[in-house]
Amino acid sequence: DYRFSPEVFAYASVATGYKAGGVNPRPFFGPSAGDCSVLPNGAPCNQITSFKPETLTTYEMGFKTDLFDRHLRINGAVFYNKYSDIILTLTNCHGFSPCLMPANVGKADVKGFELETTLKPADGLTVDGSLSYIDFQYKNTGTSGVPLSNVTPYTPKWTYSFGVQKDFDIGSGTVSARMDGSYRSQVYTEAFNGPTNRIDSLFLGNARLSYTTADKDWMVSFEVKNLFDKTYYDSVYDNGGFTVPGLRRTVIVTAEFKY
């Protein structure tokens, strides 16, 4: 890393990661399952299988800045990751179910960037935002059957967020009003991507009003999550068509006392 000035800092890093291997903890069929010839693709019944460790090497370069007497902060980074023996839980084992089998699905290269900023253009006014991009590309999926064009579960290509907050000093304390929102492009919830396990792109908005006493001992807030009452799902599953819906418009009242 290198600091060009008190306001500008840059860095580069190389790191490795590791995730242990193991044995399928939830086999639906074992070696005594009987004649496997009835299963498609000549698939074996036995789901008592082992999987190797997952490894990762990641390369990153970035910068951090505090400009104009700390009225503007901009941080950014680019990254490139080399995954090997990626561990995913398969819900379709060689064409038959039920199946919840951890397996090594192959290798992938992942690259992208992240950018975040905070701007304070006037007293009591703060604007913040972030943007990120991920390009996931399988290089080899071995015998897992996962198509090279698929991506790992819950991996959006684009995400962004932004917020605006205004603080009002009223003598006895501070009233803060904030609105923010976040976007996520479509994701898949299964290793085998398909229309039955796809969650479409989503934008959610929130609003918050709070009061903090001058000594900061007390704080009360009124918050609305999912301000526009969007219907969305946190998860969807091929196996039986199960879904986990996200919260609809939700009102939260909070009181805090510090002592």
PDB file of all heavy atoms in Angstrom, residues 113-146:
ATOM      1  N   PHE A 113     -15.756  -5.115  -9.922  1.00  0.00           N
ATOM      2  CA  PHE A 113     -15.304  -3.895  -9.262  1.00  0.00           C
ATOM      3  C   PHE A 113     -16.333  -3.456  -8.232  1.00  0.00           C
ATOM      4  O   PHE A 113     -17.505  -3.867  -8.266  1.00  0.00           O
ATOM      5  CB  PHE A 113     -15.051  -2.767 -10.276  1.00  0.00           C
ATOM      6  CG  PHE A 113     -16.308  -2.223 -10.918  1.00  0.00           C
ATOM      7  CD1 PHE A 113     -17.078  -1.245 -10.301  1.00  0.00           C
ATOM      8  CD2 PHE A 113     -16.720  -2.694 -12.152  1.00  0.00           C
ATOM      9  CE1 PHE A 113     -18.231  -0.748 -10.884  1.00  0.00           C
ATOM     10  CE2 PHE A 113     -17.876  -2.200 -12.755  1.00  0.00           C
ATOM     11  CZ  PHE A 113     -18.629  -1.225 -12.114  1.00  0.00           C
ATOM     12  N   GLU A 114     -15.900  -2.601  -7.306  1.00  0.00           N
ATOM     13  CA  GLU A 114     -16.761  -2.009  -6.288  1.00  0.00           C
ATOM     14  C   GLU A 114     -16.432  -0.526  -6.187  1.00  0.00           C
ATOM     15  O   GLU A 114     -15.254  -0.141  -6.265  1.00  0.00           O
ATOM     16  CB  GLU A 114     -16.548  -2.676  -4.921  1.00  0.00           C
ATOM     17  CG  GLU A 114     -16.874  -4.162  -4.905  1.00  0.00           C
ATOM     18  CD  GLU A 114     -16.498  -4.824  -3.593  1.00  0.00           C
ATOM     19  OE1 GLU A 114     -15.643  -4.252  -2.860  1.00  0.00           O
ATOM     20  OE2 GLU A 114     -17.039  -5.893  -3.281  1.00  0.00           O
ATOM     21  N   LEU A 115     -17.452   0.287  -6.006  1.00  0.00           N
ATOM     22  CA  LEU A 115     -17.263   1.725  -5.878  1.00  0.00           C
ATOM     23  C   LEU A 115     -18.249   2.241  -4.843  1.00  0.00           C
ATOM     24  O   LEU A 115     -19.432   1.866  -4.860  1.00  0.00           O
ATOM     25  CB  LEU A 115     -17.504   2.411  -7.219  1.00  0.00           C
ATOM     26  CG  LEU A 115     -17.179   3.905  -7.322  1.00  0.00           C
ATOM     27  CD1 LEU A 115     -15.675   4.121  -7.197  1.00  0.00           C
ATOM     28  CD2 LEU A 115     -17.681   4.463  -8.658  1.00  0.00           C
ATOM     29  N   GLU A 116     -17.784   3.074  -3.923  1.00  0.00           N
ATOM     30  CA  GLU A 116     -18.674   3.653  -2.914  1.00  0.00           C
ATOM     31  C   GLU A 116     -18.280   5.103  -2.665  1.00  0.00           C
ATOM     32  O   GLU A 116     -17.101   5.474  -2.803  1.00  0.00           O
ATOM     33  CB  GLU A 116     -18.635   2.865  -1.603  1.00  0.00           C
ATOM     34  CG  GLU A 116     -17.280   2.829  -0.929  1.00  0.00           C
ATOM     35  CD  GLU A 116     -17.289   2.060   0.379  1.00  0.00           C
ATOM     36  OE1 GLU A 116     -18.212   1.255   0.586  1.00  0.00           O
ATOM     37  OE2 GLU A 116     -16.354   2.268   1.182  1.00  0.00           O
ATOM     38  N   THR A 117     -19.255   5.914  -2.324  1.00  0.00           N
ATOM     39  CA  THR A 117     -18.986   7.333  -2.114  1.00  0.00           C
ATOM     40  C   THR A 117     -19.899   7.895  -1.035  1.00  0.00           C
ATOM     41  O   THR A 117     -21.016   7.393  -0.825  1.00  0.00           O
ATOM     42  CB  THR A 117     -19.188   8.132  -3.423  1.00  0.00           C
ATOM     43  OG1 THR A 117     -18.842   9.501  -3.209  1.00  0.00           O
ATOM     44  CG2 THR A 117     -20.629   8.063  -3.885  1.00  0.00           C
ATOM     45  N   THR A 118     -19.398   8.917  -0.343  1.00  0.00           N
ATOM     46  CA  THR A 118     -20.181   9.685   0.628  1.00  0.00           C
ATOM     47  C   THR A 118     -19.911  11.163   0.363  1.00  0.00           C
ATOM     48  O   THR A 118     -18.749  11.581   0.305  1.00  0.00           O
ATOM     49  CB  THR A 118     -19.794   9.331   2.068  1.00  0.00           C
ATOM     50  OG1 THR A 118     -19.980   7.929   2.287  1.00  0.00           O
ATOM     51  CG2 THR A 118     -20.659  10.096   3.056  1.00  0.00           C
ATOM     52  N   LEU A 119     -20.972  11.922   0.218  1.00  0.00           N
ATOM     53  CA  LEU A 119     -20.857  13.348  -0.094  1.00  0.00           C
ATOM     54  C   LEU A 119     -21.600  14.150   0.965  1.00  0.00           C
ATOM     55  O   LEU A 119     -22.749  13.833   1.305  1.00  0.00           O
ATOM     56  CB  LEU A 119     -21.444  13.633  -1.478  1.00  0.00           C
ATOM     57  CG  LEU A 119     -21.565  15.105  -1.900  1.00  0.00           C
ATOM     58  CD1 LEU A 119     -20.187  15.738  -2.030  1.00  0.00           C
ATOM     59  CD2 LEU A 119     -22.352  15.213  -3.204  1.00  0.00           C
ATOM     60  N   LYS A 120     -20.938  15.197   1.483  1.00  0.00           N
ATOM     61  CA  LYS A 120     -21.563  16.109   2.449  1.00  0.00           C
ATOM     62  C   LYS A 120     -21.533  17.520   1.856  1.00  0.00           C
ATOM     63  O   LYS A 120     -20.649  18.321   2.155  1.00  0.00           O
ATOM     64  CB  LYS A 120     -20.829  16.058   3.784  1.00  0.00           C
ATOM     65  CG  LYS A 120     -20.910  14.689   4.451  1.00  0.00           C
ATOM     66  CD  LYS A 120     -20.212  14.665   5.799  1.00  0.00           C
ATOM     67  CE  LYS A 120     -20.357  13.313   6.470  1.00  0.00           C
ATOM     68  NZ  LYS A 120     -19.705  13.266   7.799  1.00  0.00           N
ATOM     69  N   PRO A 121     -22.521  17.844   1.001  1.00  0.00           N
ATOM     70  CA  PRO A 121     -22.484  19.125   0.289  1.00  0.00           C
ATOM     71  C   PRO A 121     -22.856  20.331   1.148  1.00  0.00           C
ATOM     72  O   PRO A 121     -22.560  21.463   0.775  1.00  0.00           O
ATOM     73  CB  PRO A 121     -23.500  18.920  -0.832  1.00  0.00           C
ATOM     74  CG  PRO A 121     -24.462  17.919  -0.283  1.00  0.00           C
ATOM     75  CD  PRO A 121     -23.658  17.009   0.601  1.00  0.00           C
ATOM     76  N   ALA A 122     -23.539  20.091   2.270  1.00  0.00           N
ATOM     77  CA  ALA A 122     -23.961  21.193   3.139  1.00  0.00           C
ATOM     78  C   ALA A 122     -24.086  20.674   4.559  1.00  0.00           C
ATOM     79  O   ALA A 122     -24.134  19.464   4.801  1.00  0.00           O
ATOM     80  CB  ALA A 122     -25.294  21.771   2.665  1.00  0.00           C
ATOM     81  N   ASP A 123     -24.145  21.596   5.529  1.00  0.00           N
ATOM     82  CA  ASP A 123     -24.271  21.196   6.929  1.00  0.00           C
ATOM     83  C   ASP A 123     -25.524  20.347   7.135  1.00  0.00           C
ATOM     84  O   ASP A 123     -26.631  20.728   6.746  1.00  0.00           O
ATOM     85  CB  ASP A 123     -24.343  22.430   7.824  1.00  0.00           C
ATOM     86  CG  ASP A 123     -23.006  23.136   7.943  1.00  0.00           C
ATOM     87  OD1 ASP A 123     -21.985  22.515   7.566  1.00  0.00           O
ATOM     88  OD2 ASP A 123     -22.979  24.296   8.397  1.00  0.00           O
ATOM     89  N   GLY A 124     -25.324  19.185   7.731  1.00  0.00           N
ATOM     90  CA  GLY A 124     -26.446  18.318   8.055  1.00  0.00           C
ATOM     91  C   GLY A 124     -26.971  17.484   6.912  1.00  0.00           C
ATOM     92  O   GLY A 124     -27.900  16.694   7.105  1.00  0.00           O
ATOM     93  N   LEU A 125     -26.407  17.607   5.714  1.00  0.00           N
ATOM     94  CA  LEU A 125     -26.884  16.855   4.545  1.00  0.00           C
ATOM     95  C   LEU A 125     -25.819  15.849   4.117  1.00  0.00           C
ATOM     96  O   LEU A 125     -24.658  16.213   3.913  1.00  0.00           O
ATOM     97  CB  LEU A 125     -27.194  17.803   3.395  1.00  0.00           C
ATOM     98  CG  LEU A 125     -27.680  17.145   2.089  1.00  0.00           C
ATOM     99  CD1 LEU A 125     -28.985  16.392   2.318  1.00  0.00           C
ATOM    100  CD2 LEU A 125     -27.839  18.199   0.984  1.00  0.00           C
ATOM    101  N   THR A 126     -26.225  14.590   3.994  1.00  0.00           N
ATOM    102  CA  THR A 126     -25.318  13.523   3.580  1.00  0.00           C
ATOM    103  C   THR A 126     -25.954  12.727   2.446  1.00  0.00           C
ATOM    104  O   THR A 126     -27.124  12.340   2.527  1.00  0.00           O
ATOM    105  CB  THR A 126     -25.007  12.567   4.749  1.00  0.00           C
ATOM    106  OG1 THR A 126     -24.468  13.306   5.837  1.00  0.00           O
ATOM    107  CG2 THR A 126     -24.019  11.498   4.328  1.00  0.00           C
ATOM    108  N   VAL A 127     -25.180  12.484   1.400  1.00  0.00           N
ATOM    109  CA  VAL A 127     -25.605  11.654   0.276  1.00  0.00           C
ATOM    110  C   VAL A 127     -24.598  10.509   0.155  1.00  0.00           C
ATOM    111  O   VAL A 127     -23.380  10.746   0.132  1.00  0.00           O
ATOM    112  CB  VAL A 127     -25.657  12.453  -1.036  1.00  0.00           C
ATOM    113  CG1 VAL A 127     -26.114  11.561  -2.185  1.00  0.00           C
ATOM    114  CG2 VAL A 127     -26.581  13.657  -0.900  1.00  0.00           C
ATOM    115  N   ASP A 128     -25.071   9.276   0.092  1.00  0.00           N
ATOM    116  CA  ASP A 128     -24.160   8.139  -0.017  1.00  0.00           C
ATOM    117  C   ASP A 128     -24.646   7.178  -1.093  1.00  0.00           C
ATOM    118  O   ASP A 128     -25.835   7.140  -1.430  1.00  0.00           O
ATOM    119  CB  ASP A 128     -24.033   7.414   1.322  1.00  0.00           C
ATOM    120  CG  ASP A 128     -25.367   6.923   1.865  1.00  0.00           C
ATOM    121  OD1 ASP A 128     -25.839   5.861   1.429  1.00  0.00           O
ATOM    122  OD2 ASP A 128     -25.945   7.630   2.724  1.00  0.00           O
ATOM    123  N   GLY A 129     -23.721   6.407  -1.636  1.00  0.00           N
ATOM    124  CA  GLY A 129     -24.080   5.451  -2.671  1.00  0.00           C
ATOM    125  C   GLY A 129     -22.994   4.423  -2.875  1.00  0.00           C
ATOM    126  O   GLY A 129     -21.837   4.611  -2.469  1.00  0.00           O
ATOM    127  N   SER A 130     -23.351   3.308  -3.508  1.00  0.00           N
ATOM    128  CA  SER A 130     -22.385   2.258  -3.819  1.00  0.00           C
ATOM    129  C   SER A 130     -22.816   1.544  -5.091  1.00  0.00           C
ATOM    130  O   SER A 130     -24.005   1.521  -5.438  1.00  0.00           O
ATOM    131  CB  SER A 130     -22.257   1.253  -2.666  1.00  0.00           C
ATOM    132  OG  SER A 130     -23.471   0.548  -2.487  1.00  0.00           O
ATOM    133  N   LEU A 131     -21.852   0.956  -5.784  1.00  0.00           N
ATOM    134  CA  LEU A 131     -22.099   0.235  -7.031  1.00  0.00           C
ATOM    135  C   LEU A 131     -21.110  -0.914  -7.114  1.00  0.00           C
ATOM    136  O   LEU A 131     -19.922  -0.734  -6.816  1.00  0.00           O
ATOM    137  CB  LEU A 131     -21.920   1.167  -8.230  1.00  0.00           C
ATOM    138  CG  LEU A 131     -22.012   0.542  -9.629  1.00  0.00           C
ATOM    139  CD1 LEU A 131     -23.438   0.086  -9.920  1.00  0.00           C
ATOM    140  CD2 LEU A 131     -21.526   1.522 -10.687  1.00  0.00           C
ATOM    141  N   SER A 132     -21.592  -2.096  -7.502  1.00  0.00           N
ATOM    142  CA  SER A 132     -20.682  -3.230  -7.661  1.00  0.00           C
ATOM    143  C   SER A 132     -21.105  -4.082  -8.852  1.00  0.00           C
ATOM    144  O   SER A 132     -22.277  -4.141  -9.219  1.00  0.00           O
ATOM    145  CB  SER A 132     -20.637  -4.095  -6.392  1.00  0.00           C
ATOM    146  OG  SER A 132     -21.875  -4.750  -6.182  1.00  0.00           O
ATOM    147  N   TYR A 133     -20.114  -4.740  -9.437  1.00  0.00           N
ATOM    148  CA  TYR A 133     -20.315  -5.589 -10.623  1.00  0.00           C
ATOM    149  C   TYR A 133     -19.517  -6.867 -10.440  1.00  0.00           C
ATOM    150  O   TYR A 133     -18.351  -6.828 -10.009  1.00  0.00           O
ATOM    151  CB  TYR A 133     -19.855  -4.858 -11.881  1.00  0.00           C
ATOM    152  CG  TYR A 133     -19.810  -5.722 -13.119  1.00  0.00           C
ATOM    153  CD1 TYR A 133     -20.971  -6.031 -13.826  1.00  0.00           C
ATOM    154  CD2 TYR A 133     -18.599  -6.239 -13.578  1.00  0.00           C
ATOM    155  CE1 TYR A 133     -20.928  -6.824 -14.964  1.00  0.00           C
ATOM    156  CE2 TYR A 133     -18.544  -7.031 -14.717  1.00  0.00           C
ATOM    157  CZ  TYR A 133     -19.713  -7.321 -15.402  1.00  0.00           C
ATOM    158  OH  TYR A 133     -19.669  -8.109 -16.526  1.00  0.00           O
ATOM    159  N   ILE A 134     -20.128  -8.011 -10.752  1.00  0.00           N
ATOM    160  CA  ILE A 134     -19.458  -9.310 -10.659  1.00  0.00           C
ATOM    161  C   ILE A 134     -19.674 -10.058 -11.968  1.00  0.00           C
ATOM    162  O   ILE A 134     -20.812 -10.230 -12.427  1.00  0.00           O
ATOM    163  CB  ILE A 134     -19.988 -10.156  -9.490  1.00  0.00           C
ATOM    164  CG1 ILE A 134     -19.683  -9.497  -8.153  1.00  0.00           C
ATOM    165  CG2 ILE A 134     -19.380 -11.561  -9.524  1.00  0.00           C
ATOM    166  CD1 ILE A 134     -20.237 -10.267  -6.960  1.00  0.00           C
ATOM    167  N   ASP A 135     -18.575 -10.515 -12.564  1.00  0.00           N
ATOM    168  CA  ASP A 135     -18.629 -11.358 -13.763  1.00  0.00           C
ATOM    169  C   ASP A 135     -18.120 -12.739 -13.374  1.00  0.00           C
ATOM    170  O   ASP A 135     -16.925 -12.922 -13.142  1.00  0.00           O
ATOM    171  CB  ASP A 135     -17.778 -10.752 -14.872  1.00  0.00           C
ATOM    172  CG  ASP A 135     -17.771 -11.624 -16.132  1.00  0.00           C
ATOM    173  OD1 ASP A 135     -18.780 -12.303 -16.377  1.00  0.00           O
ATOM    174  OD2 ASP A 135     -16.746 -11.634 -16.840  1.00  0.00           O
ATOM    175  N   PHE A 136     -19.033 -13.701 -13.276  1.00  0.00           N
ATOM    176  CA  PHE A 136     -18.692 -15.071 -12.868  1.00  0.00           C
ATOM    177  C   PHE A 136     -18.660 -15.962 -14.104  1.00  0.00           C
ATOM    178  O   PHE A 136     -19.638 -16.020 -14.852  1.00  0.00           O
ATOM    179  CB  PHE A 136     -19.731 -15.595 -11.862  1.00  0.00           C
ATOM    180  CG  PHE A 136     -19.443 -16.981 -11.347  1.00  0.00           C
ATOM    181  CD1 PHE A 136     -18.805 -17.155 -10.132  1.00  0.00           C
ATOM    182  CD2 PHE A 136     -19.796 -18.106 -12.076  1.00  0.00           C
ATOM    183  CE1 PHE A 136     -18.530 -18.427  -9.654  1.00  0.00           C
ATOM    184  CE2 PHE A 136     -19.521 -19.377 -11.609  1.00  0.00           C
ATOM    185  CZ  PHE A 136     -18.887 -19.540 -10.391  1.00  0.00           C
ATOM    186  N   GLN A 137     -17.547 -16.671 -14.308  1.00  0.00           N
ATOM    187  CA  GLN A 137     -17.400 -17.540 -15.470  1.00  0.00           C
ATOM    188  C   GLN A 137     -16.812 -18.882 -15.049  1.00  0.00           C
ATOM    189  O   GLN A 137     -15.676 -18.953 -14.569  1.00  0.00           O
ATOM    190  CB  GLN A 137     -16.485 -16.892 -16.513  1.00  0.00           C
ATOM    191  CG  GLN A 137     -17.057 -15.654 -17.179  1.00  0.00           C
ATOM    192  CD  GLN A 137     -18.197 -15.994 -18.119  1.00  0.00           C
ATOM    193  OE1 GLN A 137     -18.252 -17.072 -18.700  1.00  0.00           O
ATOM    194  NE2 GLN A 137     -19.140 -15.064 -18.252  1.00  0.00           N
ATOM    195  N   TYR A 138     -17.623 -19.960 -15.223  1.00  0.00           N
ATOM    196  CA  TYR A 138     -17.069 -21.295 -15.023  1.00  0.00           C
ATOM    197  C   TYR A 138     -16.035 -21.585 -16.103  1.00  0.00           C
ATOM    198  O   TYR A 138     -16.237 -21.267 -17.284  1.00  0.00           O
ATOM    199  CB  TYR A 138     -18.157 -22.356 -15.102  1.00  0.00           C
ATOM    200  CG  TYR A 138     -18.959 -22.543 -13.836  1.00  0.00           C
ATOM    201  CD1 TYR A 138     -20.331 -22.297 -13.815  1.00  0.00           C
ATOM    202  CD2 TYR A 138     -18.359 -23.000 -12.666  1.00  0.00           C
ATOM    203  CE1 TYR A 138     -21.077 -22.483 -12.670  1.00  0.00           C
ATOM    204  CE2 TYR A 138     -19.093 -23.190 -11.509  1.00  0.00           C
ATOM    205  CZ  TYR A 138     -20.453 -22.933 -11.515  1.00  0.00           C
ATOM    206  OH  TYR A 138     -21.189 -23.113 -10.374  1.00  0.00           O
ATOM    207  N   LYS A 139     -14.936 -22.216 -15.729  1.00  0.00           N
ATOM    208  CA  LYS A 139     -13.931 -22.673 -16.673  1.00  0.00           C
ATOM    209  C   LYS A 139     -13.983 -24.182 -16.863  1.00  0.00           C
ATOM    210  O   LYS A 139     -13.572 -24.703 -17.896  1.00  0.00           O
ATOM    211  CB  LYS A 139     -12.524 -22.267 -16.193  1.00  0.00           C
ATOM    212  CG  LYS A 139     -12.324 -20.758 -16.125  1.00  0.00           C
ATOM    213  CD  LYS A 139     -12.569 -20.121 -17.481  1.00  0.00           C
ATOM    214  CE  LYS A 139     -12.416 -18.623 -17.448  1.00  0.00           C
ATOM    215  NZ  LYS A 139     -12.697 -18.012 -18.774  1.00  0.00           N
ATOM    216  N   ASN A 140     -14.503 -24.868 -15.840  1.00  0.00           N
ATOM    217  CA  ASN A 140     -14.583 -26.330 -15.895  1.00  0.00           C
ATOM    218  C   ASN A 140     -15.584 -26.773 -14.840  1.00  0.00           C
ATOM    219  O   ASN A 140     -15.509 -26.317 -13.697  1.00  0.00           O
ATOM    220  CB  ASN A 140     -13.196 -26.933 -15.619  1.00  0.00           C
ATOM    221  CG  ASN A 140     -13.198 -28.444 -15.729  1.00  0.00           C
ATOM    222  OD1 ASN A 140     -14.238 -29.084 -15.715  1.00  0.00           O
ATOM    223  ND2 ASN A 140     -12.003 -29.007 -15.841  1.00  0.00           N
ATOM    224  N   THR A 141     -16.539 -27.619 -15.208  1.00  0.00           N
ATOM    225  CA  THR A 141     -17.489 -28.136 -14.213  1.00  0.00           C
ATOM    226  C   THR A 141     -17.405 -29.660 -14.074  1.00  0.00           C
ATOM    227  O   THR A 141     -18.272 -30.273 -13.452  1.00  0.00           O
ATOM    228  CB  THR A 141     -18.930 -27.733 -14.577  1.00  0.00           C
ATOM    229  OG1 THR A 141     -19.240 -28.195 -15.896  1.00  0.00           O
ATOM    230  CG2 THR A 141     -19.107 -26.220 -14.504  1.00  0.00           C
ATOM    231  N   GLY A 142     -16.373 -30.263 -14.646  1.00  0.00           N
ATOM    232  CA  GLY A 142     -16.115 -31.679 -14.440  1.00  0.00           C
ATOM    233  C   GLY A 142     -17.297 -32.567 -14.769  1.00  0.00           C
ATOM    234  O   GLY A 142     -17.954 -32.413 -15.796  1.00  0.00           O
ATOM    235  N   THR A 143     -17.584 -33.496 -13.849  1.00  0.00           N
ATOM    236  CA  THR A 143     -18.692 -34.445 -14.047  1.00  0.00           C
ATOM    237  C   THR A 143     -19.960 -34.009 -13.323  1.00  0.00           C
ATOM    238  O   THR A 143     -20.909 -34.778 -13.221  1.00  0.00           O
ATOM    239  CB  THR A 143     -18.286 -35.842 -13.548  1.00  0.00           C
ATOM    240  OG1 THR A 143     -17.971 -35.775 -12.146  1.00  0.00           O
ATOM    241  CG2 THR A 143     -17.067 -36.360 -14.307  1.00  0.00           C
ATOM    242  N   SER A 144     -19.987 -32.770 -12.803  1.00  0.00           N
ATOM    243  CA  SER A 144     -21.141 -32.312 -12.023  1.00  0.00           C
ATOM    244  C   SER A 144     -22.387 -32.128 -12.887  1.00  0.00           C
ATOM    245  O   SER A 144     -23.510 -32.161 -12.382  1.00  0.00           O
ATOM    246  CB  SER A 144     -20.815 -30.997 -11.318  1.00  0.00           C
ATOM    247  OG  SER A 144     -20.661 -29.940 -12.267  1.00  0.00           O
ATOM    248  N   GLY A 145     -22.190 -31.889 -14.190  1.00  0.00           N
ATOM    249  CA  GLY A 145     -23.325 -31.639 -15.072  1.00  0.00           C
ATOM    250  C   GLY A 145     -23.778 -30.194 -15.092  1.00  0.00           C
ATOM    251  O   GLY A 145     -24.706 -29.843 -15.828  1.00  0.00           O
ATOM    252  N   VAL A 146     -23.170 -29.311 -14.280  1.00  0.00           N
ATOM    253  CA  VAL A 146     -23.545 -27.902 -14.256  1.00  0.00           C
ATOM    254  C   VAL A 146     -23.054 -27.235 -15.543  1.00  0.00           C
ATOM    255  O   VAL A 146     -21.860 -27.305 -15.861  1.00  0.00           O
ATOM    256  CB  VAL A 146     -22.938 -27.182 -13.039  1.00  0.00           C
ATOM    257  CG1 VAL A 146     -23.238 -25.695 -13.076  1.00  0.00           C
ATOM    258  CG2 VAL A 146     -23.468 -27.802 -11.746  1.00  0.00           C
TER     259      VAL A 146
END
